[in-house]
Amino acid sequence: MSNPWTKKNPLMSMWLSAANRTMGAARGQATGAAKRQAGAMQAEAARQIVDFWSGKTTLSASRRKTRR
């Protein structure tokens, strides 16, 4: 008598293939988003460093003195 647990199941194979394809696409999207966010953070940090060392300091609108 053959073992039923060792037989191939085409439905399970198709389901796992679809799940693997979906997870691969989601992983690709997450990796791309993380890389874009890291690039933006590096650009902002570089801008802040240049602004600091060039003496370009700005006060936010709430800290500016206004005439009353």
Side-chain angles (χ1 to χ4, degrees):
M1 180 177 210
S2 65
N3 186 354
W5 296 106
T6 59
K7 288 186 176 181
K8 292 183 178 180
N9 184 348
L11 182 62
M12 179 69 81
S13 178
M14 288 187 294
W15 189 85
L16 287 174
S17 294
N20 190 24
R21 185 170 47 248
T22 302
M23 291 305 292
R27 185 174 49 246
Q29 291 289 328
T31 301
K35 285 184 178 181
R36 283 190 299 276
Q37 185 178 13
M41 287 174 31
Q42 287 176 347
E44 177 64 19
R47 187 191 64 76
Q48 288 178 359
I49 291 169
V50 168
D51 287 350
F52 175 77
W53 286 108
S54 66
K56 183 179 173 185
T57 57
T58 59
L59 295 174
S60 66
S62 63
R63 295 192 61 190
R64 287 187 189 143
K65 291 185 179 180
T66 57
R67 276 180 97 162
R68 291 182 182 221

Tab-separated table of all heavy atoms in Angstrom:
chain	number	residue	atom	x	y	z
A	1	MET	N	0.841	-1.175	0.000
A	1	MET	CA	0.000	0.000	0.000
A	1	MET	C	0.888	1.241	0.000
A	1	MET	O	1.833	1.348	0.772
A	1	MET	CB	-0.907	-0.036	1.225
A	1	MET	CG	-1.817	1.146	1.313
A	1	MET	SD	-2.895	0.944	2.724
A	1	MET	CE	-4.270	1.818	2.118
A	2	SER	N	0.583	2.210	-0.855
A	2	SER	CA	1.401	3.420	-0.938
A	2	SER	C	0.983	4.411	0.148
A	2	SER	O	-0.174	4.453	0.573
A	2	SER	CB	1.260	4.060	-2.315
A	2	SER	OG	-0.065	4.497	-2.496
A	3	ASN	N	1.931	5.220	0.526
A	3	ASN	CA	1.687	6.212	1.573
A	3	ASN	C	0.999	7.436	0.944
A	3	ASN	O	1.545	8.074	0.038
A	3	ASN	CB	3.016	6.619	2.207
A	3	ASN	CG	2.842	7.526	3.402
A	3	ASN	OD1	1.735	7.944	3.710
A	3	ASN	ND2	3.943	7.806	4.067
A	4	PRO	N	-0.197	7.835	1.413
A	4	PRO	CA	-0.890	8.975	0.792
A	4	PRO	C	-0.198	10.311	1.069
A	4	PRO	O	-0.411	11.275	0.346
A	4	PRO	CB	-2.280	8.924	1.436
A	4	PRO	CG	-2.114	8.154	2.686
A	4	PRO	CD	-0.979	7.203	2.461
A	5	TRP	N	0.636	10.387	2.078
A	5	TRP	CA	1.314	11.641	2.412
A	5	TRP	C	2.455	11.957	1.454
A	5	TRP	O	2.915	13.092	1.379
A	5	TRP	CB	1.852	11.603	3.843
A	5	TRP	CG	0.751	11.509	4.849
A	5	TRP	CD1	0.404	10.404	5.572
A	5	TRP	CD2	-0.160	12.532	5.210
A	5	TRP	NE1	-0.659	10.683	6.369
A	5	TRP	CE2	-1.032	11.994	6.172
A	5	TRP	CE3	-0.348	13.842	4.820
A	5	TRP	CZ2	-2.065	12.724	6.742
A	5	TRP	CZ3	-1.365	14.570	5.393
A	5	TRP	CH2	-2.212	14.027	6.344
A	6	THR	N	2.920	10.956	0.729
A	6	THR	CA	4.035	11.189	-0.193
A	6	THR	C	3.574	11.433	-1.628
A	6	THR	O	4.390	11.722	-2.493
A	6	THR	CB	5.000	9.983	-0.179
A	6	THR	OG1	4.284	8.805	-0.572
A	6	THR	CG2	5.607	9.795	1.196
A	7	LYS	N	2.286	11.335	-1.892
A	7	LYS	CA	1.780	11.576	-3.242
A	7	LYS	C	1.774	13.069	-3.540
A	7	LYS	O	1.604	13.906	-2.656
A	7	LYS	CB	0.366	11.027	-3.387
A	7	LYS	CG	0.301	9.530	-3.420
A	7	LYS	CD	-1.105	9.072	-3.724
A	7	LYS	CE	-1.135	7.565	-3.842
A	7	LYS	NZ	-2.474	7.092	-4.158
A	8	LYS	N	1.943	13.408	-4.827
A	8	LYS	CA	1.909	14.805	-5.243
A	8	LYS	C	0.468	15.301	-5.273
A	8	LYS	O	-0.443	14.576	-5.665
A	8	LYS	CB	2.534	14.969	-6.624
A	8	LYS	CG	4.020	14.708	-6.640
A	8	LYS	CD	4.591	14.949	-8.003
A	8	LYS	CE	6.082	14.722	-7.982
A	8	LYS	NZ	6.683	14.942	-9.289
A	9	ASN	N	0.292	16.551	-4.868
A	9	ASN	CA	-1.026	17.163	-4.852
A	9	ASN	C	-0.961	18.390	-5.770
A	9	ASN	O	-0.380	19.411	-5.403
A	9	ASN	CB	-1.394	17.569	-3.422
A	9	ASN	CG	-2.776	18.128	-3.321
A	9	ASN	OD1	-3.413	18.436	-4.313
A	9	ASN	ND2	-3.246	18.272	-2.087
A	10	PRO	N	-1.553	18.317	-6.959
A	10	PRO	CA	-1.448	19.442	-7.894
A	10	PRO	C	-2.103	20.715	-7.370
A	10	PRO	O	-1.619	21.816	-7.619
A	10	PRO	CB	-2.143	18.950	-9.159
A	10	PRO	CG	-2.839	17.699	-8.806
A	10	PRO	CD	-2.282	17.198	-7.513
A	11	LEU	N	-3.199	20.605	-6.618
A	11	LEU	CA	-3.853	21.787	-6.073
A	11	LEU	C	-2.939	22.487	-5.066
A	11	LEU	O	-2.785	23.706	-5.087
A	11	LEU	CB	-5.179	21.404	-5.420
A	11	LEU	CG	-5.991	22.567	-4.855
A	11	LEU	CD1	-6.372	23.519	-5.981
A	11	LEU	CD2	-7.223	22.052	-4.140
A	12	MET	N	-2.304	21.701	-4.196
A	12	MET	CA	-1.390	22.273	-3.214
A	12	MET	C	-0.179	22.897	-3.911
A	12	MET	O	0.292	23.969	-3.522
A	12	MET	CB	-0.917	21.199	-2.232
A	12	MET	CG	0.046	21.690	-1.194
A	12	MET	SD	-0.707	22.799	-0.008
A	12	MET	CE	-1.463	21.626	1.069
A	13	SER	N	0.296	22.262	-4.950
A	13	SER	CA	1.434	22.790	-5.690
A	13	SER	C	1.098	24.134	-6.334
A	13	SER	O	1.889	25.080	-6.266
A	13	SER	CB	1.853	21.790	-6.769
A	13	SER	OG	2.911	22.307	-7.523
A	14	MET	N	-0.087	24.256	-6.929
A	14	MET	CA	-0.488	25.518	-7.548
A	14	MET	C	-0.674	26.599	-6.483
A	14	MET	O	-0.282	27.747	-6.683
A	14	MET	CB	-1.792	25.336	-8.345
A	14	MET	CG	-1.618	24.536	-9.618
A	14	MET	SD	-3.096	24.485	-10.645
A	14	MET	CE	-4.206	23.567	-9.613
A	15	TRP	N	-1.265	26.213	-5.358
A	15	TRP	CA	-1.512	27.180	-4.287
A	15	TRP	C	-0.188	27.701	-3.730
A	15	TRP	O	-0.016	28.907	-3.526
A	15	TRP	CB	-2.331	26.517	-3.176
A	15	TRP	CG	-2.799	27.484	-2.152
A	15	TRP	CD1	-3.917	28.250	-2.203
A	15	TRP	CD2	-2.134	27.818	-0.925
A	15	TRP	NE1	-3.999	29.033	-1.073
A	15	TRP	CE2	-2.921	28.788	-0.273
A	15	TRP	CE3	-0.964	27.381	-0.317
A	15	TRP	CZ2	-2.560	29.333	0.945
A	15	TRP	CZ3	-0.612	27.918	0.900
A	15	TRP	CH2	-1.411	28.888	1.521
A	16	LEU	N	0.783	26.809	-3.491
A	16	LEU	CA	2.081	27.234	-2.967
A	16	LEU	C	2.845	28.073	-3.983
A	16	LEU	O	3.533	29.023	-3.609
A	16	LEU	CB	2.907	26.015	-2.549
A	16	LEU	CG	2.449	25.326	-1.269
A	16	LEU	CD1	3.249	24.048	-1.053
A	16	LEU	CD2	2.579	26.245	-0.086
A	17	SER	N	2.716	27.755	-5.262
A	17	SER	CA	3.385	28.550	-6.292
A	17	SER	C	2.814	29.968	-6.322
A	17	SER	O	3.569	30.945	-6.416
A	17	SER	CB	3.211	27.901	-7.666
A	17	SER	OG	3.892	26.673	-7.710
A	18	ALA	N	1.508	30.085	-6.223
A	18	ALA	CA	0.879	31.409	-6.224
A	18	ALA	C	1.268	32.193	-4.968
A	18	ALA	O	1.544	33.396	-5.034
A	18	ALA	CB	-0.633	31.277	-6.316
A	19	ALA	N	1.297	31.506	-3.840
A	19	ALA	CA	1.682	32.180	-2.597
A	19	ALA	C	3.135	32.652	-2.664
A	19	ALA	O	3.458	33.758	-2.229
A	19	ALA	CB	1.490	31.232	-1.413
A	20	ASN	N	3.996	31.832	-3.216
A	20	ASN	CA	5.409	32.193	-3.341
A	20	ASN	C	5.575	33.394	-4.280
A	20	ASN	O	6.356	34.309	-4.004
A	20	ASN	CB	6.208	30.998	-3.855
A	20	ASN	CG	7.693	31.235	-3.763
A	20	ASN	OD1	8.151	32.026	-2.958
A	20	ASN	ND2	8.437	30.554	-4.607
A	21	ARG	N	4.826	33.424	-5.370
A	21	ARG	CA	4.890	34.531	-6.325
A	21	ARG	C	4.387	35.826	-5.673
A	21	ARG	O	4.993	36.893	-5.821
A	21	ARG	CB	4.060	34.187	-7.555
A	21	ARG	CG	4.137	35.192	-8.659
A	21	ARG	CD	3.496	34.702	-9.960
A	21	ARG	NE	2.190	34.100	-9.778
A	21	ARG	CZ	1.922	32.799	-9.971
A	21	ARG	NH1	2.872	31.972	-10.350
A	21	ARG	NH2	0.698	32.331	-9.790
A	22	THR	N	3.313	35.731	-4.899
A	22	THR	CA	2.763	36.906	-4.221
A	22	THR	C	3.732	37.439	-3.180
A	22	THR	O	3.957	38.649	-3.085
A	22	THR	CB	1.424	36.544	-3.549
A	22	THR	OG1	0.540	36.048	-4.551
A	22	THR	CG2	0.811	37.738	-2.877
A	23	MET	N	4.315	36.555	-2.386
A	23	MET	CA	5.261	36.987	-1.359
A	23	MET	C	6.532	37.568	-1.980
A	23	MET	O	7.111	38.513	-1.458
A	23	MET	CB	5.617	35.822	-0.435
A	23	MET	CG	4.466	35.390	0.450
A	23	MET	SD	3.772	36.714	1.442
A	23	MET	CE	5.119	37.029	2.539
A	24	GLY	N	6.949	37.034	-3.111
A	24	GLY	CA	8.109	37.589	-3.796
A	24	GLY	C	7.849	39.002	-4.289
A	24	GLY	O	8.710	39.882	-4.187
A	25	ALA	N	6.652	39.241	-4.813
A	25	ALA	CA	6.294	40.585	-5.275
A	25	ALA	C	6.218	41.554	-4.095
A	25	ALA	O	6.690	42.695	-4.180
A	25	ALA	CB	4.967	40.550	-6.014
A	26	ALA	N	5.634	41.104	-2.985
A	26	ALA	CA	5.537	41.962	-1.798
A	26	ALA	C	6.924	42.275	-1.241
A	26	ALA	O	7.203	43.408	-0.830
A	26	ALA	CB	4.685	41.282	-0.731
A	27	ARG	N	7.802	41.290	-1.240
A	27	ARG	CA	9.166	41.510	-0.762
A	27	ARG	C	9.891	42.515	-1.651
A	27	ARG	O	10.608	43.388	-1.170
A	27	ARG	CB	9.930	40.182	-0.727
A	27	ARG	CG	11.310	40.280	-0.132
A	27	ARG	CD	11.977	38.915	0.024
A	27	ARG	NE	11.916	38.100	-1.179
A	27	ARG	CZ	11.234	36.965	-1.272
A	27	ARG	NH1	10.525	36.532	-0.265
A	27	ARG	NH2	11.235	36.280	-2.393
A	28	GLY	N	9.683	42.433	-2.955
A	28	GLY	CA	10.294	43.386	-3.884
A	28	GLY	C	9.792	44.801	-3.657
A	28	GLY	O	10.567	45.762	-3.688
A	29	GLN	N	8.489	44.943	-3.428
A	29	GLN	CA	7.917	46.266	-3.162
A	29	GLN	C	8.476	46.847	-1.865
A	29	GLN	O	8.805	48.038	-1.795
A	29	GLN	CB	6.391	46.171	-3.064
A	29	GLN	CG	5.704	45.866	-4.376
A	29	GLN	CD	5.743	47.037	-5.324
A	29	GLN	OE1	5.726	48.189	-4.916
A	29	GLN	NE2	5.800	46.746	-6.609
A	30	ALA	N	8.574	46.022	-0.831
A	30	ALA	CA	9.082	46.491	0.469
A	30	ALA	C	10.547	46.894	0.359
A	30	ALA	O	10.965	47.913	0.923
A	30	ALA	CB	8.905	45.414	1.521
A	31	THR	N	11.337	46.121	-0.371
A	31	THR	CA	12.749	46.444	-0.540
A	31	THR	C	12.916	47.753	-1.294
A	31	THR	O	13.724	48.600	-0.920
A	31	THR	CB	13.468	45.304	-1.293
A	31	THR	OG1	13.325	44.103	-0.550
A	31	THR	CG2	14.936	45.600	-1.475
A	32	GLY	N	12.126	47.941	-2.347
A	32	GLY	CA	12.194	49.184	-3.120
A	32	GLY	C	11.804	50.393	-2.286
A	32	GLY	O	12.446	51.449	-2.350
A	33	ALA	N	10.765	50.237	-1.484
A	33	ALA	CA	10.325	51.347	-0.630
A	33	ALA	C	11.385	51.688	0.405
A	33	ALA	O	11.636	52.862	0.689
A	33	ALA	CB	9.012	50.989	0.051
A	34	ALA	N	12.014	50.665	0.978
A	34	ALA	CA	13.048	50.898	1.988
A	34	ALA	C	14.258	51.605	1.371
A	34	ALA	O	14.838	52.506	1.989
A	34	ALA	CB	13.474	49.581	2.622
A	35	LYS	N	14.612	51.226	0.158
A	35	LYS	CA	15.753	51.871	-0.499
A	35	LYS	C	15.447	53.322	-0.839
A	35	LYS	O	16.298	54.192	-0.693
A	35	LYS	CB	16.130	51.106	-1.769
A	35	LYS	CG	16.859	49.814	-1.480
A	35	LYS	CD	17.303	49.138	-2.750
A	35	LYS	CE	18.063	47.867	-2.440
A	35	LYS	NZ	18.530	47.199	-3.647
A	36	ARG	N	14.216	53.595	-1.297
A	36	ARG	CA	13.838	54.981	-1.599
A	36	ARG	C	13.844	55.825	-0.332
A	36	ARG	O	14.308	56.967	-0.321
A	36	ARG	CB	12.463	55.024	-2.262
A	36	ARG	CG	12.467	54.635	-3.717
A	36	ARG	CD	11.138	54.919	-4.373
A	36	ARG	NE	10.038	54.189	-3.771
A	36	ARG	CZ	9.696	52.942	-4.066
A	36	ARG	NH1	10.385	52.287	-4.984
A	36	ARG	NH2	8.676	52.358	-3.480
A	37	GLN	N	13.328	55.259	0.755
A	37	GLN	CA	13.271	56.002	2.010
A	37	GLN	C	14.686	56.254	2.530
A	37	GLN	O	14.987	57.350	3.010
A	37	GLN	CB	12.461	55.234	3.046
A	37	GLN	CG	12.265	56.002	4.332
A	37	GLN	CD	11.405	55.238	5.330
A	37	GLN	OE1	11.152	54.057	5.156
A	37	GLN	NE2	10.967	55.925	6.350
A	38	ALA	N	15.565	55.279	2.428
A	38	ALA	CA	16.941	55.448	2.894
A	38	ALA	C	17.641	56.526	2.061
A	38	ALA	O	18.394	57.345	2.599
A	38	ALA	CB	17.691	54.125	2.811
A	39	GLY	N	17.410	56.538	0.762
A	39	GLY	CA	18.010	57.555	-0.098
A	39	GLY	C	17.528	58.952	0.250
A	39	GLY	O	18.313	59.907	0.288
A	40	ALA	N	16.245	59.069	0.535
A	40	ALA	CA	15.689	60.368	0.911
A	40	ALA	C	16.256	60.831	2.253
A	40	ALA	O	16.549	62.020	2.437
A	40	ALA	CB	14.165	60.294	0.980
A	41	MET	N	16.412	59.902	3.187
A	41	MET	CA	16.966	60.255	4.496
A	41	MET	C	18.426	60.707	4.365
A	41	MET	O	18.846	61.661	5.022
A	41	MET	CB	16.865	59.066	5.455
A	41	MET	CG	15.452	58.818	5.930
A	41	MET	SD	15.157	57.341	6.926
A	41	MET	CE	16.649	57.085	7.805
A	42	GLN	N	19.192	60.040	3.514
A	42	GLN	CA	20.585	60.432	3.306
A	42	GLN	C	20.668	61.809	2.665
A	42	GLN	O	21.524	62.620	3.022
A	42	GLN	CB	21.299	59.399	2.443
A	42	GLN	CG	21.578	58.110	3.171
A	42	GLN	CD	22.195	57.055	2.257
A	42	GLN	OE1	22.204	57.205	1.040
A	42	GLN	NE2	22.703	56.001	2.847
A	43	ALA	N	19.805	62.079	1.712
A	43	ALA	CA	19.807	63.386	1.052
A	43	ALA	C	19.450	64.489	2.048
A	43	ALA	O	20.065	65.564	2.043
A	43	ALA	CB	18.822	63.382	-0.119
A	44	GLU	N	18.478	64.253	2.905
A	44	GLU	CA	18.086	65.237	3.914
A	44	GLU	C	19.217	65.465	4.918
A	44	GLU	O	19.499	66.598	5.302
A	44	GLU	CB	16.818	64.773	4.635
A	44	GLU	CG	16.363	65.675	5.756
A	44	GLU	CD	15.958	67.068	5.297
A	44	GLU	OE1	15.685	67.261	4.102
A	44	GLU	OE2	15.922	67.983	6.146
A	45	ALA	N	19.880	64.393	5.335
A	45	ALA	CA	20.999	64.527	6.270
A	45	ALA	C	22.133	65.335	5.640
A	45	ALA	O	22.727	66.205	6.287
A	45	ALA	CB	21.500	63.154	6.694
A	46	ALA	N	22.427	65.064	4.379
A	46	ALA	CA	23.479	65.814	3.688
A	46	ALA	C	23.110	67.287	3.584
A	46	ALA	O	23.955	68.168	3.792
A	46	ALA	CB	23.706	65.225	2.301
A	47	ARG	N	21.844	67.584	3.287
A	47	ARG	CA	21.398	68.963	3.192
A	47	ARG	C	21.538	69.670	4.542
A	47	ARG	O	22.004	70.807	4.620
A	47	ARG	CB	19.947	69.028	2.731
A	47	ARG	CG	19.465	70.458	2.455
A	47	ARG	CD	17.970	70.523	2.249
A	47	ARG	NE	17.205	70.148	3.431
A	47	ARG	CZ	17.041	70.939	4.511
A	47	ARG	NH1	17.579	72.125	4.540
A	47	ARG	NH2	16.338	70.520	5.544
A	48	GLN	N	21.173	68.983	5.618
A	48	GLN	CA	21.281	69.581	6.944
A	48	GLN	C	22.732	69.838	7.326
A	48	GLN	O	23.056	70.870	7.917
A	48	GLN	CB	20.622	68.688	7.986
A	48	GLN	CG	19.117	68.682	7.903
A	48	GLN	CD	18.490	67.746	8.922
A	48	GLN	OE1	19.187	67.080	9.686
A	48	GLN	NE2	17.172	67.702	8.922
A	49	ILE	N	23.631	68.936	6.971
A	49	ILE	CA	25.059	69.117	7.269
A	49	ILE	C	25.600	70.322	6.513
A	49	ILE	O	26.301	71.168	7.077
A	49	ILE	CB	25.851	67.836	6.926
A	49	ILE	CG1	25.482	66.722	7.914
A	49	ILE	CG2	27.352	68.091	6.943
A	49	ILE	CD1	25.994	65.364	7.519
A	50	VAL	N	25.267	70.425	5.232
A	50	VAL	CA	25.740	71.553	4.426
A	50	VAL	C	25.179	72.859	4.974
A	50	VAL	O	25.902	73.858	5.093
A	50	VAL	CB	25.357	71.363	2.936
A	50	VAL	CG1	25.583	72.627	2.146
A	50	VAL	CG2	26.143	70.214	2.341
A	51	ASP	N	23.894	72.868	5.326
A	51	ASP	CA	23.298	74.081	5.890
A	51	ASP	C	23.975	74.482	7.193
A	51	ASP	O	24.224	75.659	7.441
A	51	ASP	CB	21.797	73.882	6.127
A	51	ASP	CG	21.000	73.876	4.834
A	51	ASP	OD1	21.568	74.218	3.781
A	51	ASP	OD2	19.804	73.507	4.885
A	52	PHE	N	24.282	73.507	8.020
A	52	PHE	CA	24.919	73.816	9.307
A	52	PHE	C	26.313	74.408	9.099
A	52	PHE	O	26.655	75.441	9.665
A	52	PHE	CB	25.011	72.546	10.162
A	52	PHE	CG	25.759	72.748	11.437
A	52	PHE	CD1	25.159	73.382	12.509
A	52	PHE	CD2	27.070	72.309	11.574
A	52	PHE	CE1	25.845	73.583	13.690
A	52	PHE	CE2	27.765	72.504	12.747
A	52	PHE	CZ	27.144	73.141	13.819
A	53	TRP	N	27.126	73.756	8.273
A	53	TRP	CA	28.509	74.208	8.110
A	53	TRP	C	28.617	75.467	7.249
A	53	TRP	O	29.631	76.156	7.310
A	53	TRP	CB	29.368	73.090	7.536
A	53	TRP	CG	29.630	72.047	8.588
A	53	TRP	CD1	29.102	70.797	8.648
A	53	TRP	CD2	30.455	72.197	9.746
A	53	TRP	NE1	29.548	70.162	9.769
A	53	TRP	CE2	30.390	70.992	10.471
A	53	TRP	CE3	31.242	73.226	10.256
A	53	TRP	CZ2	31.080	70.790	11.651
A	53	TRP	CZ3	31.927	73.012	11.441
A	53	TRP	CH2	31.846	71.817	12.123
A	54	SER	N	27.618	75.773	6.480
A	54	SER	CA	27.669	77.000	5.685
A	54	SER	C	27.096	78.190	6.459
A	54	SER	O	27.076	79.300	5.954
A	54	SER	CB	26.918	76.816	4.366
A	54	SER	OG	25.536	76.644	4.615
A	55	GLY	N	26.615	77.947	7.670
A	55	GLY	CA	26.094	79.019	8.485
A	55	GLY	C	24.678	79.401	8.127
A	55	GLY	O	24.163	80.418	8.565
A	56	LYS	N	24.042	78.627	7.341
A	56	LYS	CA	22.681	78.911	6.913
A	56	LYS	C	21.721	78.294	7.935
A	56	LYS	O	21.392	77.128	7.881
A	56	LYS	CB	22.443	78.297	5.535
A	56	LYS	CG	21.098	78.581	4.944
A	56	LYS	CD	21.027	77.919	3.572
A	56	LYS	CE	19.644	78.024	2.994
A	56	LYS	NZ	19.559	77.295	1.739
A	57	THR	N	21.307	79.104	8.887
A	57	THR	CA	20.371	78.600	9.884
A	57	THR	C	19.074	79.372	9.746
A	57	THR	O	19.064	80.588	9.566
A	57	THR	CB	20.918	78.773	11.309
A	57	THR	OG1	21.196	80.147	11.522
A	57	THR	CG2	22.183	77.962	11.502
A	58	THR	N	17.998	78.672	9.833
A	58	THR	CA	16.693	79.310	9.732
A	58	THR	C	15.882	78.944	10.956
A	58	THR	O	15.974	77.843	11.479
A	58	THR	CB	15.944	78.855	8.471
A	58	THR	OG1	15.786	77.443	8.529
A	58	THR	CG2	16.685	79.241	7.215
A	59	LEU	N	15.091	79.882	11.394
A	59	LEU	CA	14.183	79.612	12.491
A	59	LEU	C	12.841	79.216	11.911
A	59	LEU	O	12.428	79.714	10.870
A	59	LEU	CB	14.017	80.857	13.370
A	59	LEU	CG	15.269	81.324	14.109
A	59	LEU	CD1	14.980	82.630	14.819
A	59	LEU	CD2	15.703	80.276	15.105
A	60	SER	N	12.175	78.339	12.587
A	60	SER	CA	10.855	77.943	12.104
A	60	SER	C	9.892	79.113	12.285
A	60	SER	O	10.147	80.057	13.027
A	60	SER	CB	10.361	76.714	12.865
A	60	SER	OG	10.158	77.053	14.213
A	61	ALA	N	8.790	79.066	11.626
A	61	ALA	CA	7.817	80.165	11.652
A	61	ALA	C	7.315	80.419	13.062
A	61	ALA	O	7.026	81.556	13.427
A	61	ALA	CB	6.647	79.829	10.729
A	62	SER	N	7.235	79.414	13.898
A	62	SER	CA	6.713	79.607	15.235
A	62	SER	C	7.738	80.299	16.143
A	62	SER	O	7.367	80.898	17.138
A	62	SER	CB	6.307	78.269	15.842
A	62	SER	OG	7.438	77.438	15.976
A	63	ARG	N	9.007	80.235	15.816
A	63	ARG	CA	10.048	80.823	16.659
A	63	ARG	C	10.458	82.217	16.204
A	63	ARG	O	11.197	82.894	16.889
A	63	ARG	CB	11.267	79.908	16.663
A	63	ARG	CG	10.939	78.561	17.323
A	63	ARG	CD	12.134	77.766	17.596
A	63	ARG	NE	12.992	78.504	18.516
A	63	ARG	CZ	14.222	78.157	18.809
A	63	ARG	NH1	14.749	77.097	18.277
A	63	ARG	NH2	14.957	78.863	19.652
A	64	ARG	N	10.018	82.629	15.026
A	64	ARG	CA	10.362	83.956	14.528
A	64	ARG	C	9.648	85.019	15.367
A	64	ARG	O	8.509	84.838	15.792
A	64	ARG	CB	9.938	84.120	13.074
A	64	ARG	CG	10.805	83.358	12.126
A	64	ARG	CD	10.452	83.701	10.710
A	64	ARG	NE	11.151	82.808	9.824
A	64	ARG	CZ	10.657	82.321	8.707
A	64	ARG	NH1	9.449	82.647	8.327
A	64	ARG	NH2	11.351	81.512	7.967
A	65	LYS	N	10.331	86.098	15.557
A	65	LYS	CA	9.708	87.198	16.302
A	65	LYS	C	8.824	87.968	15.338
A	65	LYS	O	9.227	88.309	14.231
A	65	LYS	CB	10.785	88.114	16.883
A	65	LYS	CG	11.578	87.451	17.984
A	65	LYS	CD	12.533	88.421	18.597
A	65	LYS	CE	13.305	87.745	19.727
A	65	LYS	NZ	14.251	88.647	20.352
A	66	THR	N	7.633	88.236	15.790
A	66	THR	CA	6.698	88.989	14.951
A	66	THR	C	6.403	90.310	15.617
A	66	THR	O	6.443	90.421	16.856
A	66	THR	CB	5.390	88.199	14.761
A	66	THR	OG1	4.837	87.923	16.041
A	66	THR	CG2	5.635	86.907	14.026
A	67	ARG	N	6.134	91.303	14.808
A	67	ARG	CA	5.764	92.615	15.347
A	67	ARG	C	4.328	92.605	15.817
A	67	ARG	O	3.449	92.071	15.152
A	67	ARG	CB	5.901	93.673	14.271
A	67	ARG	CG	7.280	94.193	14.141
A	67	ARG	CD	7.299	95.221	13.068
A	67	ARG	NE	7.186	96.553	13.646
A	67	ARG	CZ	7.510	97.649	13.006
A	67	ARG	NH1	7.904	97.580	11.750
A	67	ARG	NH2	7.428	98.816	13.570
A	68	ARG	N	4.126	93.178	16.932
A	68	ARG	CA	2.762	93.230	17.446
A	68	ARG	C	2.279	94.643	17.437
A	68	ARG	O	2.918	95.594	17.595
A	68	ARG	CB	2.711	92.695	18.857
A	68	ARG	CG	2.975	91.211	18.859
A	68	ARG	CD	2.867	90.690	20.257
A	68	ARG	NE	3.183	89.271	20.206
A	68	ARG	CZ	2.541	88.373	20.873
A	68	ARG	NH1	1.578	88.707	21.674
A	68	ARG	NH2	2.867	87.130	20.779
